[in-house]
Amino acid sequence: VQSLKDDLCKLARSLDPSRLVVDDSGGANMTRESSRLMRPYHDSFEPYDDFHIHQRAPVDRDIELYYGHNGEQGQLCFLSEFGFGGMEDLSGESATPTRDADYLNSIQQRAAKGFQDRGLDRLFGNIDGLAAASRDVQNDAARYQIDACRANSRWAGYCYEQLCDGNDAFCAGVLDRWRNPKLVYTTLKKAQQAMRPLIHVPRTNLLPREEVPVVVTLTNDERIEGQADLSLQVVGPTNQVLWKKRRGVKIPKGGRELWTGSIAASGSPGTHQFVVRLLQGMTCIGESAIDLHVFDPVEATGIEVNVVDPQRAWLERCTPFAKLGTAMAPVHIVPRLANTIRAYPDNELMQVLAQVKGGAVAILFEPPSDWNDLASRIDPAISATSREAVGGAAGVYHYAKLHPVFDGLPARSLMRQPYRNAVAAKTFAEPSDEDICGTFDAGACSQEEQACWGSDILVRRYGSGRLVFVHLRILDNLGKDPVSDRLFVNILRHFSRRSVPPDGLQPLDQRAVEWLRGERNERVRRWMAIGPFPNWNDKGHNTAYPPEDAVQLDATYPGWYTALRWKTWCSKADDSHVVDLQDAFTPVYGTEPRFDYGTGYAYAEFTSDRREPATATIRVQDATKVWLNGNFIHESNEHLPHDEFQTKTESCMIRHGRNTLLVKVSKTPGPFRFSIDFSSATKEPLQLKWWK
């Protein structure tokens, strides 16, 4: 493959010596080969950093920061693929070639059943209405993504996913397959003006009269100089100007700060706009605006809830909105406690399920992907199959019905920027007993798969009660985002009315308790993970970040694009105890191995009944360091192709009692994984108990 790329690049150079020639960047993912280019009038290759970024929409703050901080200063970096698809007209009426009409009709037929089953004709009229709404989501995403890219001086350039839709890339273009412009086409033109103010705010969902800090920088690609007037305005929901400021400025160079300060919402809920204009006389030479969504605050419900929270990580977030109760409460809240159901507390979780079977309601936020391993042992009717809903080139679109869960929030539409913090990173494959909100996966539909529809909230009957599975990212943002607050309160109010709790504690399913306890004790290992720290030019591996000085599990550190905190992540025996740091760190990314760089740490503890020599077996894919009880026992610096592990063995000494284990991994484009195990150096097998 590499020789073929070489020949094609040389052919391109011979045909046009004045062009920049780049080879295929796919090797950065699969084989870890560097992306390469030929400069104009040169015939030799040189490496550069090539990025592909496909992320969900609406665009949240982490995604903005990810775009805005990617790349190494001084290193040639290019963003060769990004964007979020917007569906083309599925009617096929514009098609001239018969095969295009047939192709679109087949997609329409695959989508139609789920569309009708969910009653979405009341929201969108027909599939074409859904397609039009998806183009609005694409348009929103492009504006935020391009502004974040333009704020990043490290990018040498960027390339939107593609120009035109086609059968091999349904939805991905800025033009449809008949070269008709989509809504995003005009937005791209505006967003890429040579001079454009860029508005940076930490949050766009506000309470009435809430202030938010603002920084305005300037892109000035043509290096225009001189004097201008800077106009700042806050425009209210009824288009009235609520606040304005105007002052003379000297036009700064690109990337420089134009204005910093704070603005405030009015006392009225609704969409506000912050508008920035740069004027010379009566001519506007640069303009930008950002929407601020203002919502009324919610009040405490007084609903009694039981929160399953053995580590007491979520109680403080829930208590402002509900009354804490016991296992007899009508509503049970099960937060995301781990990435595997096997690490959930056995007795406490099974008591909740017993109460639900007797008539109560349990709300499970972001349940782990292996929930069905437990459900199959209790009742297959309560299965909840999670799958990715990140989207990307083709797009995954999230709809919200006119339903009590969305009281006081935008509904009867696709989820747009007000839902930026809450939109689901995963969805459920099963249809819900009560359809409230869900997803349409255009990529799955175009590939002749049946998995194009999903449920973001899945309601399942269990005995006399209900299980409510929620993939909306609500709990992480409680108290920080008025949309998440309102969703939480609305869910409590709606489902508490459907709860008829039993009079006393119900008997537990002892077989399920024993299975869960056995899995937790014997087949799960708990880790704490933190990252990614910077690893540009693969220098992070030799940089001692704070975890190497001391493991402080309540500490917060700066990462390369967002603040970092330790997170719980469990490895499983079924996966050979592989620790996937990409999965542990964030749901921001797409589903493929990533094109970024990063350094991460994983920390675990275990106990031994005796002191003895042992052998550490370490499976690595990237540069890796290992410390056991503070002693450095391993270092490797290879970056292997994404499907390969290399096994290393090291001699070490296991202590009697508590042992600590710290692993550092520094990745280049590709995966972010390792595993480690210990075996006795003597004939007696090790008796280790991993931290739970």
Side-chain angles (χ1 to χ4, degrees):
V1 175
Q2 191 65 48
S3 62
L4 177 60
K5 291 193 290 185
D6 290 352
D7 292 342
L8 289 173
C9 288
K10 291 174 182 176
L11 175 61
R13 168 56 67 242
S14 67
L15 294 174
D16 189 343
S18 66
R19 296 293 181 94
L20 179 73
V21 179
V22 299
D23 76 351
D24 177 42
S25 61
N29 246 341
M30 301 301 180
T31 65
R32 301 292 182 90
E33 297 167 359
S34 175
S35 301
R36 303 175 305 160
L37 60 81
M38 288 181 180
R39 294 180 182 269
Y41 303 104
H42 288 70
D43 56 8
S44 59
F45 290 101
E46 63 179 272
Y48 75 103
D49 287 340
D50 187 296
F51 294 85
H52 300 195
I53 305 175
H54 288 130
Q55 298 175 321
R56 64 176 177 266
V59 175
D60 66 16
R61 183 60 176 161
D62 277 352
I63 292 176
E64 289 180 312
L65 293 171
Y66 183 81
Y67 276 102
H69 291 81
N70 230 316
E72 168 69 6
Q73 195 70 44
Q75 172 76 13
L76 183 60
C77 308
F78 184 69
L79 177 55
S80 64
E81 274 187 47
F82 80 103
F84 189 91
M87 294 159 58
E88 56 192 318
D89 182 357
L90 294 182
S91 67
E93 294 175 358
S94 304
T96 47
T98 303
R99 66 181 183 86
D100 277 347
D102 292 343
Y103 174 75
L104 293 179
N105 285 336
S106 67
I107 290 177
Q108 190 175 37
Q109 290 170 10
R110 286 195 291 274
K113 186 178 187 303
F115 188 88
Q116 295 299 329
D117 290 346
R118 286 164 169 76
L120 297 183
D121 54 324
R122 300 188 186 98
L123 276 66
F124 305 106
N126 54 31
I127 290 288
D128 292 338
L130 173 64
S134 79
R135 294 193 288 273
D136 289 332
V137 175
Q138 178 191 33
N139 188 63
D140 293 343
R143 181 170 52 125
Y144 282 92
Q145 291 170 338
I146 289 176
D147 280 359
C149 288
R150 297 195 72 184
N152 186 351
S153 62
R154 297 173 179 85
W155 295 125
Y158 53 82
C159 181
Y160 200 78
E161 172 64 25
Q162 67 181 58
L163 179 64
C164 300
D165 291 340
N167 290 7
D168 59 337
F170 175 60
C171 303
V174 297
L175 309 178
D176 66 18
R177 67 188 60 228
W178 305 286
R179 305 301 192 267
N180 300 312
K182 297 182 184 177
L183 179 62
V184 71
Y185 181 84
T186 303
T187 293
L188 290 176
K189 183 178 180 180
K190 290 180 179 178
Q192 297 182 114
Q193 290 174 333
M195 180 173 288
R196 177 173 168 82
L198 302 178
I199 304 169
H200 310 271
V201 294
R203 58 190 183 277
T204 55
N205 290 343
L206 305 175
L207 296 170
R209 296 187 175 85
E210 182 179 1
E211 287 192 353
V212 63
V214 181
V215 175
V216 180
T217 58
L218 184 69
T219 58
N220 187 358
D221 296 342
E222 295 180 356
R223 300 183 180 181
I224 297 172
E225 298 180 349
Q227 298 293 320
D229 288 330
L230 176 65
S231 169
L232 310 169
Q233 291 183 341
V234 176
V235 181
T238 58
N239 209 33
Q240 76 277 27
V241 176
L242 305 174
W243 174 88
K244 62 182 179 180
K245 181 188 288 283
R246 183 164 178 156
R247 66 175 189 175
V249 296
K250 181 180 179 181
I251 299 175
K253 295 180 179 179
R256 299 287 179 85
E257 186 177 294
L258 194 58
W259 182 79
T260 183
S262 62
I263 57 176
S266 73
S268 302
T271 300
H272 295 53
Q273 266 202 333
F274 178 56
V275 184
V276 179
R277 295 185 179 95
L278 206 59
L279 307 166
Q280 283 186 329
M282 300 299 293
T283 303
C284 179
I285 60 174
E287 180 178 2
S288 187
I290 192 168
D291 290 339
L292 301 171
H293 309 283
V294 181
F295 299 92
D296 283 330
V298 297
E299 297 180 356
T301 64
I303 296 169
E304 186 179 354
V305 299
N306 171 43
V307 182
V308 178
D309 188 17
Q311 303 294 328
R312 303 187 69 81
W314 302 97
L315 287 173
E316 289 186 3
R317 304 189 191 202
C318 298
T319 49
F321 306 99
K323 176 183 175 183
L324 287 182
T326 66
M328 299 284 291
V331 177
H332 302 266
I333 295 173
V334 184
R336 183 187 67 248
L337 300 177
N339 58 298
T340 170
I341 196 64
R342 291 163 165 83
Y344 279 49
D346 42 72
N347 269 311
E348 200 170 352
L349 178 60
M350 295 312 301
Q351 187 65 69
V352 166
L353 294 179
Q355 298 304 108
V356 171
K357 193 172 184 180
V361 167
I363 305 168
L364 295 89
F365 289 93
E366 300 179 72
S369 58
D370 60 355
W371 162 264
N372 288 350
D373 290 350
L374 175 62
S376 64
R377 288 166 169 80
I378 301 171
D379 183 350
I382 61 170
S383 63
T385 307
S386 295
R387 62 169 180 249
E388 296 291 337
V390 173
V396 173
Y397 315 103
H398 301 258
Y399 66 84
K401 284 191 168 181
L402 189 63
H403 187 278
V405 164
F406 294 101
D407 280 350
L409 297 171
R412 296 192 67 182
S413 61
L414 293 181
M415 294 185 187
R416 296 176 66 178
Q417 284 306 119
Y419 292 99
R420 65 186 298 184
N421 296 320
V423 71
K426 294 185 178 182
T427 192
F428 299 105
E430 293 84 358
S432 177
D433 294 349
E434 181 182 355
D435 192 58
I436 300 169
C437 56
T439 59
F440 177 73
D441 187 334
C445 190
S446 69
Q447 296 167 14
E448 301 189 10
E449 297 178 10
Q450 299 304 311
C452 51
W453 292 100
S455 304
D456 289 349
I457 296 179
L458 177 65
V459 182
R460 283 304 184 73
R461 292 300 299 254
Y462 178 48
S464 300
R466 288 174 174 83
L467 291 172
V468 183
F469 301 93
V470 180
H471 264 318
L472 297 176
R473 297 175 299 127
I474 295 173
L475 293 192
D476 282 333
N477 296 292
L478 280 184
K480 298 181 289 185
D481 174 24
V483 171
S484 295
D485 294 350
R486 186 164 291 276
L487 283 169
F488 184 68
V489 165
N490 288 348
I491 288 172
L492 288 184
R493 286 176 174 154
H494 177 67
F495 287 105
S496 66
R497 293 193 288 267
R498 284 153 174 73
S499 177
V500 185
D503 293 334
L505 293 179
Q506 301 299 293
L508 278 61
D509 184 333
Q510 287 300 329
R511 288 187 304 171
V513 170
E514 291 168 8
W515 175 82
L516 197 57
R517 184 175 300 156
E519 291 289 302
R520 185 165 184 250
N521 291 336
E522 304 298 333
R523 301 181 62 79
V524 171
R525 296 174 184 171
R526 179 187 172 207
W527 293 81
M528 298 297 289
I530 191 168
F533 292 94
N535 187 40
W536 303 117
N537 290 328
D538 215 11
K539 295 177 180 177
H541 199 52
N542 294 320
T543 302
Y545 293 113
E548 293 181 41
D549 297 327
V551 174
Q552 299 177 351
L553 299 179
D554 58 349
T556 300
Y557 305 111
W560 65 263
Y561 72 94
T562 190
L564 303 179
R565 299 170 184 84
W566 289 94
K567 299 179 180 180
T568 301
W569 203 92
C570 296
S571 66
K572 299 184 290 185
D574 291 349
D575 299 328
S576 302
H577 286 294
V578 169
V579 177
D580 188 335
L581 292 175
Q582 197 77 66
D583 187 36
F585 290 153
T586 177
V588 159
Y589 309 97
T591 55
E592 61 188 18
R594 319 300 174 239
F595 282 81
D596 54 17
Y597 296 73
T599 291
Y601 293 87
Y603 174 80
E605 296 179 5
F606 60 86
T607 59
S608 174
D609 60 355
R610 62 185 182 273
R611 182 180 187 273
E612 65 175 304
T615 299
T617 302
I618 309 159
R619 298 173 66 217
V620 301
Q621 289 185 298
D622 279 290
T624 304
K625 293 181 180 181
V626 181
W627 292 264
L628 176 64
N629 297 320
N631 299 313
F632 189 67
I633 65 168
H634 170 77
E635 180 173 12
S636 54
N637 293 286
E638 296 89 350
H639 297 289
L640 302 176
H642 79 291
D643 280 337
E644 296 182 17
F645 279 95
Q646 192 171 79
T647 301
K648 309 282 187 176
T649 58
E650 303 286 356
S651 298
C652 59
M653 182 64 67
I654 301 291
R655 288 178 179 171
H656 174 253
R658 174 177 171 268
N659 290 259
T660 63
L661 181 62
L662 180 66
V663 181
K664 177 180 185 178
V665 181
S666 299
K667 73 180 288 289
T668 59
F672 207 176
R673 299 175 294 186
F674 75 92
S675 70
I676 186 168
D677 218 330
F678 296 94
S679 58
S680 175
T682 66
K683 294 182 179 180
E684 293 292 326
L686 286 176
Q687 299 295 325
L688 304 182
K689 291 185 179 180
W690 288 77
W691 185 30
K692 299 303 177 187

